[in-house]
Amino acid sequence: MVTLGDYLLVSAILFSIGFAGVMLRRNIIIILMSLELMLNAANLTLVAFSRFRVDSSGLPSYSAQVFVFFIITVAAAEVAVGLAIVVALFRARQTTHVEDISTLKF
């Protein structure tokens, strides 16, 4: 049987991988992917807590899973805006490396 601790361990591993990707990588696209991995780790934590929290009727409480849908919506908007900015910067600077795009002055 899978316990809450197992879900939290997987979520912590995913969040750590995402955090390492944000800190260590220099490509903007990889950084955006790592941020999405971190958001998905947070979503997994919310769903796990929601699943293992039982209300007075004996059924799981799904209130946190509604919050996950809002996070997914915000993440989709973040990806759309982030990729638009990356495309605009790539057209202007011809690179996606963070060091080469240190300022936004043209």
Side-chain angles (χ1 to χ4, degrees):
M1 182 172 169
V2 181
T3 64
L4 178 62
D6 296 333
Y7 284 110
L8 295 179
L9 179 66
V10 171
S11 178
I13 291 170
L14 285 175
F15 192 86
S16 299
I17 292 170
F19 185 73
V22 168
M23 288 297 164
L24 300 176
R25 295 295 183 163
R26 299 294 177 225
N27 192 338
I28 295 176
I29 296 173
I30 301 296
I31 291 172
L32 285 175
M33 288 173 35
S34 298
L35 285 172
E36 289 297 318
L37 192 62
M38 291 169 65
L39 283 174
N40 285 330
N43 284 341
L44 179 62
T45 301
L46 284 172
V47 169
F49 278 124
S50 174
R51 173 65 181 97
F52 284 97
R53 181 175 179 251
V54 179
D55 60 5
S56 61
S57 65
L59 296 173
S61 174
Y62 294 112
S63 58
Q65 293 184 10
V66 174
F67 189 59
V68 168
F69 287 121
F70 290 114
I71 294 174
I72 291 172
T73 305
V74 169
E78 174 221 345
V79 167
V81 170
L83 286 177
I85 292 171
V86 168
V87 168
L89 287 172
F90 182 76
R91 286 182 181 173
R93 299 283 178 112
Q94 301 300 317
T95 185
T96 58
H97 293 290
V98 177
E99 297 95 18
D100 299 335
I101 310 172
S102 62
T103 63
L104 293 178
K105 296 178 185 177
F106 289 105

